Short mmCIF file of all heavy atoms in Angstrom, two decimals:
data_model
loop_
_atom_site.label_atom_id
_atom_site.label_comp_id
_atom_site.label_asym_id
_atom_site.label_seq_id
_atom_site.Cartn_x
_atom_site.Cartn_y
_atom_site.Cartn_z
N HIS A 1 0.81 -1.20 0.00
CA HIS A 1 0.00 0.00 0.00
C HIS A 1 0.86 1.27 0.00
O HIS A 1 0.44 2.28 -0.53
CB HIS A 1 -0.95 0.02 1.19
CG HIS A 1 -1.98 -1.04 1.13
ND1 HIS A 1 -2.90 -1.13 0.11
CD2 HIS A 1 -2.26 -2.06 1.97
CE1 HIS A 1 -3.69 -2.15 0.33
NE2 HIS A 1 -3.34 -2.74 1.45
N LYS A 2 2.03 1.18 0.63
CA LYS A 2 2.88 2.37 0.71
C LYS A 2 3.33 2.84 -0.67
O LYS A 2 3.32 4.03 -0.95
CB LYS A 2 4.11 2.10 1.58
CG LYS A 2 4.01 2.63 2.95
CD LYS A 2 5.32 2.54 3.66
CE LYS A 2 5.23 3.44 4.87
NZ LYS A 2 6.44 3.59 5.57
N LYS A 3 3.70 1.90 -1.54
CA LYS A 3 4.17 2.26 -2.87
C LYS A 3 3.04 2.92 -3.67
O LYS A 3 3.25 3.92 -4.35
CB LYS A 3 4.68 1.02 -3.61
CG LYS A 3 5.36 1.35 -4.90
CD LYS A 3 5.99 0.13 -5.52
CE LYS A 3 6.72 0.51 -6.78
NZ LYS A 3 7.36 -0.63 -7.40
N ALA A 4 1.85 2.38 -3.58
CA ALA A 4 0.70 2.97 -4.28
C ALA A 4 0.40 4.36 -3.74
O ALA A 4 0.08 5.28 -4.50
CB ALA A 4 -0.51 2.07 -4.14
N ASP A 5 0.51 4.54 -2.43
CA ASP A 5 0.26 5.84 -1.81
C ASP A 5 1.28 6.88 -2.29
O ASP A 5 0.91 8.01 -2.60
CB ASP A 5 0.31 5.72 -0.28
CG ASP A 5 -0.11 7.00 0.41
OD1 ASP A 5 -1.14 7.57 0.01
OD2 ASP A 5 0.59 7.41 1.35
N ILE A 6 2.53 6.47 -2.40
CA ILE A 6 3.57 7.39 -2.88
C ILE A 6 3.30 7.78 -4.32
O ILE A 6 3.42 8.95 -4.70
CB ILE A 6 4.97 6.75 -2.70
CG1 ILE A 6 5.31 6.66 -1.21
CG2 ILE A 6 6.04 7.54 -3.46
CD1 ILE A 6 6.53 5.82 -0.91
N CYS A 7 2.92 6.82 -5.16
CA CYS A 7 2.61 7.12 -6.57
C CYS A 7 1.40 8.04 -6.67
O CYS A 7 1.38 8.96 -7.49
CB CYS A 7 2.32 5.83 -7.34
SG CYS A 7 3.78 4.81 -7.57
N TRP A 8 0.38 7.79 -5.84
CA TRP A 8 -0.81 8.63 -5.85
C TRP A 8 -0.45 10.06 -5.47
O TRP A 8 -0.89 11.00 -6.12
CB TRP A 8 -1.85 8.06 -4.88
CG TRP A 8 -3.11 8.85 -4.84
CD1 TRP A 8 -4.13 8.79 -5.73
CD2 TRP A 8 -3.47 9.84 -3.88
NE1 TRP A 8 -5.12 9.67 -5.37
CE2 TRP A 8 -4.73 10.34 -4.23
CE3 TRP A 8 -2.84 10.35 -2.75
CZ2 TRP A 8 -5.38 11.31 -3.50
CZ3 TRP A 8 -3.50 11.32 -2.03
CH2 TRP A 8 -4.74 11.80 -2.40
N ARG A 9 0.35 10.23 -4.44
CA ARG A 9 0.78 11.57 -4.01
C ARG A 9 1.56 12.26 -5.10
O ARG A 9 1.37 13.45 -5.36
CB ARG A 9 1.61 11.50 -2.74
CG ARG A 9 0.80 11.25 -1.51
CD ARG A 9 1.67 11.36 -0.29
NE ARG A 9 0.95 10.91 0.87
CZ ARG A 9 1.51 10.61 2.01
NH1 ARG A 9 2.82 10.71 2.15
NH2 ARG A 9 0.80 10.21 3.02
N ALA A 10 2.46 11.54 -5.75
CA ALA A 10 3.26 12.13 -6.82
C ALA A 10 2.36 12.58 -7.97
O ALA A 10 2.55 13.66 -8.53
CB ALA A 10 4.31 11.13 -7.31
N SER A 11 1.37 11.76 -8.30
CA SER A 11 0.42 12.13 -9.36
C SER A 11 -0.36 13.38 -8.97
O SER A 11 -0.55 14.28 -9.78
CB SER A 11 -0.55 10.99 -9.63
OG SER A 11 0.12 9.88 -10.17
N CYS A 12 -0.82 13.44 -7.73
CA CYS A 12 -1.56 14.61 -7.24
C CYS A 12 -0.70 15.86 -7.30
O CYS A 12 -1.15 16.93 -7.71
CB CYS A 12 -2.07 14.39 -5.82
SG CYS A 12 -3.40 13.20 -5.72
N GLN A 13 0.55 15.72 -6.89
CA GLN A 13 1.45 16.87 -6.91
C GLN A 13 1.71 17.34 -8.33
O GLN A 13 1.75 18.53 -8.61
CB GLN A 13 2.76 16.53 -6.21
CG GLN A 13 2.59 16.39 -4.71
CD GLN A 13 3.84 15.85 -4.02
OE1 GLN A 13 4.75 15.36 -4.66
NE2 GLN A 13 3.85 15.94 -2.70
N ARG A 14 1.87 16.41 -9.26
CA ARG A 14 2.11 16.76 -10.66
C ARG A 14 0.88 17.47 -11.25
O ARG A 14 1.01 18.50 -11.92
CB ARG A 14 2.42 15.50 -11.47
CG ARG A 14 2.73 15.79 -12.94
CD ARG A 14 3.07 14.52 -13.72
NE ARG A 14 2.20 13.39 -13.45
CZ ARG A 14 0.97 13.22 -13.94
NH1 ARG A 14 0.43 14.13 -14.71
NH2 ARG A 14 0.27 12.13 -13.65
N ILE A 15 -0.30 16.94 -10.98
CA ILE A 15 -1.53 17.56 -11.48
C ILE A 15 -1.71 18.95 -10.88
O ILE A 15 -2.02 19.90 -11.59
CB ILE A 15 -2.75 16.66 -11.17
CG1 ILE A 15 -2.68 15.38 -12.00
CG2 ILE A 15 -4.06 17.41 -11.43
CD1 ILE A 15 -3.64 14.30 -11.55
N ALA A 16 -1.48 19.09 -9.58
CA ALA A 16 -1.60 20.39 -8.91
C ALA A 16 -0.62 21.39 -9.51
O ALA A 16 -0.96 22.57 -9.72
CB ALA A 16 -1.37 20.25 -7.41
N ALA A 17 0.59 20.95 -9.81
CA ALA A 17 1.58 21.84 -10.41
C ALA A 17 1.15 22.27 -11.81
O ALA A 17 1.26 23.44 -12.17
CB ALA A 17 2.94 21.15 -10.46
N GLU A 18 0.63 21.32 -12.60
CA GLU A 18 0.18 21.64 -13.96
C GLU A 18 -0.99 22.62 -13.95
O GLU A 18 -1.10 23.48 -14.82
CB GLU A 18 -0.21 20.37 -14.70
CG GLU A 18 0.98 19.51 -15.09
CD GLU A 18 0.56 18.20 -15.73
OE1 GLU A 18 -0.62 18.03 -16.07
OE2 GLU A 18 1.44 17.33 -15.89
N LEU A 19 -1.85 22.50 -12.95
CA LEU A 19 -3.01 23.39 -12.85
C LEU A 19 -2.70 24.67 -12.07
O LEU A 19 -3.58 25.50 -11.87
CB LEU A 19 -4.18 22.66 -12.18
CG LEU A 19 -4.75 21.48 -12.97
CD1 LEU A 19 -5.80 20.75 -12.16
CD2 LEU A 19 -5.34 21.96 -14.29
N ARG A 20 -1.47 24.78 -11.63
CA ARG A 20 -1.00 25.94 -10.86
C ARG A 20 -1.84 26.17 -9.60
O ARG A 20 -2.24 27.29 -9.28
CB ARG A 20 -1.00 27.20 -11.73
CG ARG A 20 -0.05 27.10 -12.89
CD ARG A 20 0.00 28.39 -13.67
NE ARG A 20 0.76 28.19 -14.88
CZ ARG A 20 0.32 28.47 -16.09
NH1 ARG A 20 -0.86 28.99 -16.26
NH2 ARG A 20 1.07 28.25 -17.14
N ILE A 21 -2.10 25.09 -8.88
CA ILE A 21 -2.85 25.17 -7.64
C ILE A 21 -1.88 25.50 -6.51
O ILE A 21 -0.87 24.83 -6.34
CB ILE A 21 -3.59 23.85 -7.34
CG1 ILE A 21 -4.63 23.59 -8.44
CG2 ILE A 21 -4.22 23.86 -5.96
CD1 ILE A 21 -5.28 22.24 -8.36
N ASP A 22 -2.20 26.53 -5.77
CA ASP A 22 -1.35 26.94 -4.65
C ASP A 22 -1.43 25.88 -3.56
O ASP A 22 -2.53 25.55 -3.09
CB ASP A 22 -1.85 28.29 -4.12
CG ASP A 22 -0.93 28.89 -3.08
OD1 ASP A 22 -0.10 28.16 -2.49
OD2 ASP A 22 -1.03 30.11 -2.85
N PRO A 23 -0.29 25.33 -3.13
CA PRO A 23 -0.32 24.30 -2.09
C PRO A 23 -0.82 24.82 -0.75
O PRO A 23 -1.17 24.05 0.13
CB PRO A 23 1.13 23.82 -1.99
CG PRO A 23 1.94 24.91 -2.59
CD PRO A 23 1.06 25.61 -3.58
N ARG A 24 -0.87 26.14 -0.58
CA ARG A 24 -1.39 26.72 0.67
C ARG A 24 -2.85 27.10 0.48
O ARG A 24 -3.28 28.16 0.91
CB ARG A 24 -0.57 27.95 1.04
CG ARG A 24 0.91 27.65 1.25
CD ARG A 24 1.70 28.90 1.16
NE ARG A 24 1.50 29.41 -0.20
CZ ARG A 24 2.06 30.50 -0.69
NH1 ARG A 24 2.84 31.21 0.04
NH2 ARG A 24 1.82 30.89 -1.92
N PHE A 25 -3.62 26.26 -0.15
CA PHE A 25 -5.03 26.49 -0.47
C PHE A 25 -5.80 26.94 0.77
O PHE A 25 -5.83 26.25 1.77
CB PHE A 25 -5.64 25.20 -1.03
CG PHE A 25 -7.01 25.37 -1.59
CD1 PHE A 25 -7.20 25.81 -2.87
CD2 PHE A 25 -8.12 25.07 -0.83
CE1 PHE A 25 -8.47 25.96 -3.41
CE2 PHE A 25 -9.40 25.20 -1.35
CZ PHE A 25 -9.56 25.65 -2.64
N ASP A 26 -6.40 28.12 0.70
CA ASP A 26 -7.17 28.69 1.81
C ASP A 26 -8.65 28.58 1.46
O ASP A 26 -9.14 29.33 0.61
CB ASP A 26 -6.74 30.14 2.02
CG ASP A 26 -7.47 30.82 3.16
OD1 ASP A 26 -8.52 30.31 3.62
OD2 ASP A 26 -7.00 31.89 3.60
N VAL A 27 -9.34 27.68 2.10
CA VAL A 27 -10.74 27.40 1.79
C VAL A 27 -11.60 28.65 1.91
O VAL A 27 -12.38 28.99 1.02
CB VAL A 27 -11.30 26.26 2.67
CG1 VAL A 27 -12.78 26.07 2.45
CG2 VAL A 27 -10.54 24.97 2.40
N SER A 28 -11.49 29.37 3.01
CA SER A 28 -12.30 30.57 3.23
C SER A 28 -12.05 31.62 2.15
O SER A 28 -13.00 32.23 1.63
CB SER A 28 -12.02 31.18 4.60
OG SER A 28 -12.42 30.29 5.60
N ALA A 29 -10.80 31.82 1.81
CA ALA A 29 -10.46 32.81 0.78
C ALA A 29 -11.02 32.39 -0.58
O ALA A 29 -11.51 33.22 -1.34
CB ALA A 29 -8.95 32.99 0.69
N GLU A 30 -10.97 31.09 -0.89
CA GLU A 30 -11.50 30.61 -2.17
C GLU A 30 -13.01 30.74 -2.24
O GLU A 30 -13.56 31.11 -3.27
CB GLU A 30 -11.08 29.16 -2.41
CG GLU A 30 -9.65 29.02 -2.84
CD GLU A 30 -9.35 29.79 -4.12
OE1 GLU A 30 -10.09 29.68 -5.12
OE2 GLU A 30 -8.34 30.51 -4.12
N ILE A 31 -13.69 30.47 -1.14
CA ILE A 31 -15.15 30.64 -1.12
C ILE A 31 -15.50 32.10 -1.37
O ILE A 31 -16.37 32.41 -2.19
CB ILE A 31 -15.75 30.14 0.21
CG1 ILE A 31 -15.64 28.62 0.30
CG2 ILE A 31 -17.20 30.60 0.37
CD1 ILE A 31 -15.97 28.04 1.66
N THR A 32 -14.81 32.99 -0.70
CA THR A 32 -15.05 34.43 -0.88
C THR A 32 -14.75 34.85 -2.31
O THR A 32 -15.54 35.56 -2.95
CB THR A 32 -14.18 35.24 0.10
OG1 THR A 32 -14.53 34.87 1.43
CG2 THR A 32 -14.35 36.73 -0.09
N ARG A 33 -13.62 34.40 -2.85
CA ARG A 33 -13.21 34.78 -4.21
C ARG A 33 -14.21 34.28 -5.25
O ARG A 33 -14.63 35.02 -6.14
CB ARG A 33 -11.82 34.22 -4.50
CG ARG A 33 -11.23 34.67 -5.81
CD ARG A 33 -9.81 34.15 -5.97
NE ARG A 33 -9.76 32.72 -6.24
CZ ARG A 33 -9.91 32.17 -7.46
NH1 ARG A 33 -10.10 32.94 -8.51
NH2 ARG A 33 -9.85 30.87 -7.60
N ARG A 34 -14.64 33.05 -5.11
CA ARG A 34 -15.55 32.48 -6.11
C ARG A 34 -16.95 33.07 -6.00
O ARG A 34 -17.63 33.29 -7.00
CB ARG A 34 -15.57 30.95 -5.97
CG ARG A 34 -14.24 30.37 -6.37
CD ARG A 34 -14.07 28.94 -5.93
NE ARG A 34 -12.69 28.54 -6.03
CZ ARG A 34 -12.27 27.47 -6.69
NH1 ARG A 34 -13.14 26.70 -7.29
NH2 ARG A 34 -11.00 27.18 -6.72
N THR A 35 -17.40 33.32 -4.78
CA THR A 35 -18.70 33.96 -4.59
C THR A 35 -18.68 35.37 -5.16
O THR A 35 -19.62 35.79 -5.84
CB THR A 35 -19.07 33.98 -3.09
OG1 THR A 35 -19.10 32.63 -2.61
CG2 THR A 35 -20.42 34.61 -2.86
N GLN A 36 -17.60 36.10 -4.92
CA GLN A 36 -17.48 37.45 -5.46
C GLN A 36 -17.47 37.43 -6.99
O GLN A 36 -18.08 38.27 -7.63
CB GLN A 36 -16.19 38.13 -4.94
CG GLN A 36 -16.09 39.59 -5.31
CD GLN A 36 -17.20 40.42 -4.70
OE1 GLN A 36 -17.45 40.34 -3.50
NE2 GLN A 36 -17.89 41.20 -5.51
N PHE A 37 -16.80 36.45 -7.57
CA PHE A 37 -16.78 36.30 -9.02
C PHE A 37 -18.21 36.15 -9.56
O PHE A 37 -18.59 36.81 -10.53
CB PHE A 37 -15.93 35.10 -9.45
CG PHE A 37 -16.12 34.73 -10.90
CD1 PHE A 37 -15.44 35.43 -11.89
CD2 PHE A 37 -16.98 33.71 -11.26
CE1 PHE A 37 -15.63 35.11 -13.22
CE2 PHE A 37 -17.17 33.38 -12.59
CZ PHE A 37 -16.49 34.08 -13.58
N LEU A 38 -18.99 35.28 -8.93
CA LEU A 38 -20.37 35.06 -9.37
C LEU A 38 -21.21 36.32 -9.21
O LEU A 38 -22.03 36.66 -10.08
CB LEU A 38 -20.99 33.89 -8.62
CG LEU A 38 -20.42 32.52 -8.97
CD1 LEU A 38 -20.94 31.48 -7.99
CD2 LEU A 38 -20.74 32.14 -10.40
N MET A 39 -21.03 37.04 -8.10
CA MET A 39 -21.77 38.29 -7.88
C MET A 39 -21.42 39.31 -8.96
O MET A 39 -22.31 39.94 -9.54
CB MET A 39 -21.46 38.86 -6.50
CG MET A 39 -22.06 38.06 -5.37
SD MET A 39 -21.45 38.52 -3.72
CE MET A 39 -21.55 40.27 -3.70
N ASP A 40 -20.13 39.46 -9.25
CA ASP A 40 -19.69 40.40 -10.27
C ASP A 40 -20.21 40.01 -11.65
O ASP A 40 -20.65 40.86 -12.43
CB ASP A 40 -18.16 40.50 -10.30
CG ASP A 40 -17.58 41.11 -9.04
OD1 ASP A 40 -18.33 41.75 -8.26
OD2 ASP A 40 -16.37 40.92 -8.82
N TYR A 41 -20.15 38.72 -11.95
CA TYR A 41 -20.62 38.23 -13.24
C TYR A 41 -22.11 38.53 -13.42
O TYR A 41 -22.54 39.04 -14.46
CB TYR A 41 -20.36 36.72 -13.34
CG TYR A 41 -20.74 36.14 -14.66
CD1 TYR A 41 -19.85 36.14 -15.72
CD2 TYR A 41 -22.00 35.57 -14.86
CE1 TYR A 41 -20.20 35.61 -16.95
CE2 TYR A 41 -22.36 35.03 -16.07
CZ TYR A 41 -21.45 35.05 -17.13
OH TYR A 41 -21.82 34.52 -18.33
N ALA A 42 -22.90 38.24 -12.40
CA ALA A 42 -24.34 38.49 -12.48
C ALA A 42 -24.63 39.98 -12.63
O ALA A 42 -25.49 40.39 -13.43
CB ALA A 42 -25.04 37.94 -11.24
N ARG A 43 -23.91 40.79 -11.90
CA ARG A 43 -24.09 42.25 -11.98
C ARG A 43 -23.79 42.76 -13.38
O ARG A 43 -24.56 43.52 -13.96
CB ARG A 43 -23.21 42.93 -10.93
CG ARG A 43 -23.60 44.36 -10.65
CD ARG A 43 -22.83 44.95 -9.47
NE ARG A 43 -23.17 44.26 -8.22
CZ ARG A 43 -22.29 43.62 -7.45
NH1 ARG A 43 -21.01 43.57 -7.75
NH2 ARG A 43 -22.69 43.02 -6.35
N ARG A 44 -22.65 42.33 -13.94
CA ARG A 44 -22.27 42.78 -15.29
C ARG A 44 -23.26 42.30 -16.34
O ARG A 44 -23.51 42.99 -17.33
CB ARG A 44 -20.87 42.27 -15.63
CG ARG A 44 -19.75 43.01 -14.96
CD ARG A 44 -18.38 42.65 -15.55
NE ARG A 44 -18.14 41.24 -15.66
CZ ARG A 44 -17.59 40.46 -14.72
NH1 ARG A 44 -17.19 41.00 -13.57
NH2 ARG A 44 -17.41 39.18 -14.92
N ALA A 45 -23.82 41.11 -16.14
CA ALA A 45 -24.76 40.54 -17.10
C ALA A 45 -26.18 41.06 -16.89
O ALA A 45 -27.06 40.79 -17.70
CB ALA A 45 -24.75 39.02 -16.98
N GLY A 46 -26.39 41.80 -15.80
CA GLY A 46 -27.73 42.30 -15.51
C GLY A 46 -28.67 41.20 -15.06
O GLY A 46 -29.89 41.32 -15.19
N ALA A 47 -28.11 40.13 -14.52
CA ALA A 47 -28.92 38.98 -14.09
C ALA A 47 -29.19 39.07 -12.59
O ALA A 47 -28.35 39.49 -11.82
CB ALA A 47 -28.18 37.68 -14.40
N GLY A 48 -30.37 38.64 -12.21
CA GLY A 48 -30.72 38.61 -10.79
C GLY A 48 -30.73 37.21 -10.23
O GLY A 48 -31.02 37.00 -9.06
N SER A 49 -30.41 36.23 -11.09
CA SER A 49 -30.41 34.84 -10.64
C SER A 49 -29.54 34.01 -11.57
O SER A 49 -29.11 34.47 -12.61
CB SER A 49 -31.84 34.29 -10.62
OG SER A 49 -32.37 34.27 -11.93
N PHE A 50 -29.32 32.76 -11.16
CA PHE A 50 -28.59 31.79 -11.96
C PHE A 50 -29.46 30.57 -12.14
O PHE A 50 -30.31 30.28 -11.30
CB PHE A 50 -27.31 31.33 -11.24
CG PHE A 50 -26.26 32.39 -11.08
CD1 PHE A 50 -26.07 33.01 -9.87
CD2 PHE A 50 -25.45 32.74 -12.14
CE1 PHE A 50 -25.10 33.97 -9.71
CE2 PHE A 50 -24.48 33.70 -12.00
CZ PHE A 50 -24.30 34.32 -10.78
N VAL A 51 -29.25 29.84 -13.20
CA VAL A 51 -29.87 28.53 -13.38
C VAL A 51 -28.76 27.51 -13.22
O VAL A 51 -27.75 27.56 -13.92
CB VAL A 51 -30.53 28.39 -14.76
CG1 VAL A 51 -31.07 26.98 -14.97
CG2 VAL A 51 -31.63 29.42 -14.93
N LEU A 52 -28.94 26.61 -12.29
CA LEU A 52 -27.92 25.60 -12.00
C LEU A 52 -28.57 24.24 -11.95
O LEU A 52 -29.45 24.00 -11.12
CB LEU A 52 -27.23 25.91 -10.66
CG LEU A 52 -26.19 24.92 -10.17
CD1 LEU A 52 -24.99 24.90 -11.12
CD2 LEU A 52 -25.75 25.25 -8.76
N GLY A 53 -28.18 23.37 -12.86
CA GLY A 53 -28.68 22.00 -12.85
C GLY A 53 -27.91 21.18 -11.84
O GLY A 53 -26.68 21.14 -11.91
N ILE A 54 -28.59 20.58 -10.89
CA ILE A 54 -27.90 19.80 -9.86
C ILE A 54 -28.55 18.42 -9.73
O ILE A 54 -29.73 18.25 -10.01
CB ILE A 54 -27.89 20.51 -8.48
CG1 ILE A 54 -29.30 20.80 -7.99
CG2 ILE A 54 -27.09 21.78 -8.56
CD1 ILE A 54 -29.36 21.34 -6.59
N SER A 55 -27.73 17.47 -9.29
CA SER A 55 -28.22 16.10 -9.13
C SER A 55 -28.68 15.81 -7.71
O SER A 55 -29.35 14.83 -7.46
CB SER A 55 -27.10 15.12 -9.50
OG SER A 55 -26.06 15.21 -8.55
N GLY A 56 -28.26 16.67 -6.78
CA GLY A 56 -28.61 16.43 -5.39
C GLY A 56 -27.49 15.78 -4.60
O GLY A 56 -27.62 15.54 -3.41
N GLY A 57 -26.38 15.50 -5.28
CA GLY A 57 -25.24 14.89 -4.61
C GLY A 57 -24.35 15.92 -3.93
O GLY A 57 -24.62 17.13 -3.97
N VAL A 58 -23.29 15.45 -3.34
CA VAL A 58 -22.37 16.32 -2.61
C VAL A 58 -21.72 17.33 -3.55
O VAL A 58 -21.63 18.52 -3.23
CB VAL A 58 -21.29 15.49 -1.88
CG1 VAL A 58 -20.23 16.38 -1.27
CG2 VAL A 58 -21.93 14.63 -0.80
N ASP A 59 -21.26 16.88 -4.73
CA ASP A 59 -20.62 17.80 -5.67
C ASP A 59 -21.56 18.94 -6.06
O ASP A 59 -21.16 20.10 -6.16
CB ASP A 59 -20.15 17.08 -6.92
CG ASP A 59 -18.98 16.15 -6.66
OD1 ASP A 59 -18.38 16.25 -5.58
OD2 ASP A 59 -18.69 15.33 -7.53
N SER A 60 -22.82 18.61 -6.29
CA SER A 60 -23.79 19.63 -6.66
C SER A 60 -24.01 20.62 -5.53
O SER A 60 -24.13 21.83 -5.75
CB SER A 60 -25.14 18.99 -7.02
OG SER A 60 -25.02 18.22 -8.19
N SER A 61 -24.05 20.12 -4.32
CA SER A 61 -24.22 21.01 -3.16
C SER A 61 -23.04 21.95 -3.01
O SER A 61 -23.20 23.15 -2.78
CB SER A 61 -24.38 20.20 -1.87
OG SER A 61 -25.54 19.43 -1.94
N VAL A 62 -21.84 21.40 -3.17
CA VAL A 62 -20.63 22.21 -3.05
C VAL A 62 -20.59 23.26 -4.16
O VAL A 62 -20.24 24.41 -3.94
CB VAL A 62 -19.37 21.32 -3.08
CG1 VAL A 62 -18.10 22.15 -3.19
CG2 VAL A 62 -19.33 20.46 -1.82
N ALA A 63 -20.97 22.89 -5.37
CA ALA A 63 -20.96 23.82 -6.49
C ALA A 63 -22.09 24.83 -6.39
O ALA A 63 -21.93 25.99 -6.79
CB ALA A 63 -21.07 23.05 -7.81
N GLY A 64 -23.22 24.42 -5.85
CA GLY A 64 -24.38 25.30 -5.80
C GLY A 64 -24.35 26.34 -4.71
O GLY A 64 -24.89 27.43 -4.85
N ARG A 65 -23.71 26.04 -3.61
CA ARG A 65 -23.70 26.96 -2.47
C ARG A 65 -23.15 28.35 -2.79
O ARG A 65 -23.78 29.34 -2.45
CB ARG A 65 -22.94 26.33 -1.30
CG ARG A 65 -22.89 27.17 -0.07
CD ARG A 65 -24.25 27.34 0.56
NE ARG A 65 -24.14 28.18 1.73
CZ ARG A 65 -25.10 28.88 2.23
NH1 ARG A 65 -26.29 28.84 1.69
NH2 ARG A 65 -24.92 29.62 3.29
N PRO A 66 -22.01 28.47 -3.48
CA PRO A 66 -21.53 29.83 -3.81
C PRO A 66 -22.52 30.59 -4.69
O PRO A 66 -22.67 31.81 -4.55
CB PRO A 66 -20.22 29.58 -4.56
CG PRO A 66 -19.77 28.26 -4.09
CD PRO A 66 -21.02 27.47 -3.84
N GLY A 67 -23.24 29.89 -5.56
CA GLY A 67 -24.24 30.55 -6.38
C GLY A 67 -25.37 31.11 -5.54
O GLY A 67 -25.81 32.25 -5.74
N VAL A 68 -25.83 30.33 -4.59
CA VAL A 68 -26.90 30.78 -3.71
C VAL A 68 -26.45 31.99 -2.89
O VAL A 68 -27.15 32.99 -2.81
CB VAL A 68 -27.35 29.62 -2.78
CG1 VAL A 68 -28.29 30.13 -1.69
CG2 VAL A 68 -28.01 28.51 -3.58
N VAL A 69 -25.26 31.89 -2.32
CA VAL A 69 -24.74 32.98 -1.50
C VAL A 69 -24.58 34.24 -2.33
O VAL A 69 -24.91 35.34 -1.89
CB VAL A 69 -23.40 32.58 -0.84
CG1 VAL A 69 -22.73 33.77 -0.17
CG2 VAL A 69 -23.64 31.47 0.18
N SER A 70 -24.09 34.11 -3.56
CA SER A 70 -23.86 35.29 -4.39
C SER A 70 -25.16 35.98 -4.78
O SER A 70 -25.22 37.20 -4.85
CB SER A 70 -23.05 34.93 -5.63
OG SER A 70 -23.78 34.07 -6.47
N VAL A 71 -26.21 35.21 -5.01
CA VAL A 71 -27.51 35.82 -5.37
C VAL A 71 -28.14 36.47 -4.15
O VAL A 71 -28.75 37.53 -4.25
CB VAL A 71 -28.44 34.77 -6.00
CG1 VAL A 71 -29.84 35.33 -6.18
CG2 VAL A 71 -27.88 34.30 -7.34
N TRP A 72 -28.00 35.87 -2.97
CA TRP A 72 -28.57 36.43 -1.75
C TRP A 72 -27.83 37.68 -1.28
O TRP A 72 -28.38 38.48 -0.53
CB TRP A 72 -28.57 35.42 -0.64
CG TRP A 72 -29.63 34.36 -0.79
CD1 TRP A 72 -30.67 34.33 -1.65
CD2 TRP A 72 -29.73 33.16 -0.02
NE1 TRP A 72 -31.40 33.20 -1.49
CE2 TRP A 72 -30.85 32.46 -0.49
CE3 TRP A 72 -28.97 32.61 0.99
CZ2 TRP A 72 -31.25 31.24 0.04
CZ3 TRP A 72 -29.35 31.41 1.53
CH2 TRP A 72 -30.49 30.72 1.05
N SER A 73 -26.57 37.84 -1.71
CA SER A 73 -25.76 38.94 -1.18
C SER A 73 -26.12 40.24 -1.79
O SER A 73 -26.20 40.64 -2.78
CB SER A 73 -24.28 38.66 -1.41
OG SER A 73 -23.89 37.53 -0.65
#
């Protein structure tokens, strides 16, 4: 299991480097940044809401929450 874990970590690190993901990822800062992006986008587009197709799973909830917060703000 150790060898597989090391390979998995190396793959994750390579992918993160290719995507230029900051290893000091700050969850609160990212939520704020992404919510602000959606608010600005809606304002520039003159939109008062978003349409978001969701399945009801965890990924949909995580993706949908910033949209809800940005429209309520």
Side-chain angles (χ1 to χ4, degrees):
H1 294 299
K2 260 190 164 187
K3 188 174 183 179
D5 187 46
I6 291 169
C7 291
W8 181 81
R9 284 187 190 164
S11 294
C12 289
Q13 289 172 347
R14 182 179 44 78
I15 292 167
E18 288 176 12
L19 294 174
R20 297 184 189 126
I21 296 172
D22 188 341
R24 300 161 299 182
F25 189 84
D26 181 344
V27 174
S28 295
E30 284 301 311
I31 291 170
T32 300
R33 186 176 73 83
R34 293 165 194 233
T35 301
Q36 188 63 50
F37 168 81
L38 290 170
M39 289 169 47
D40 294 343
Y41 183 87
R43 197 172 295 120
R44 284 191 311 270
S49 64
F50 293 103
V51 175
L52 177 65
I54 58 173
S55 67
V58 173
D59 290 347
S60 294
S61 297
V62 170
R65 181 67 181 156
V68 170
V69 170
S70 65
V71 171
W72 285 349
S73 294

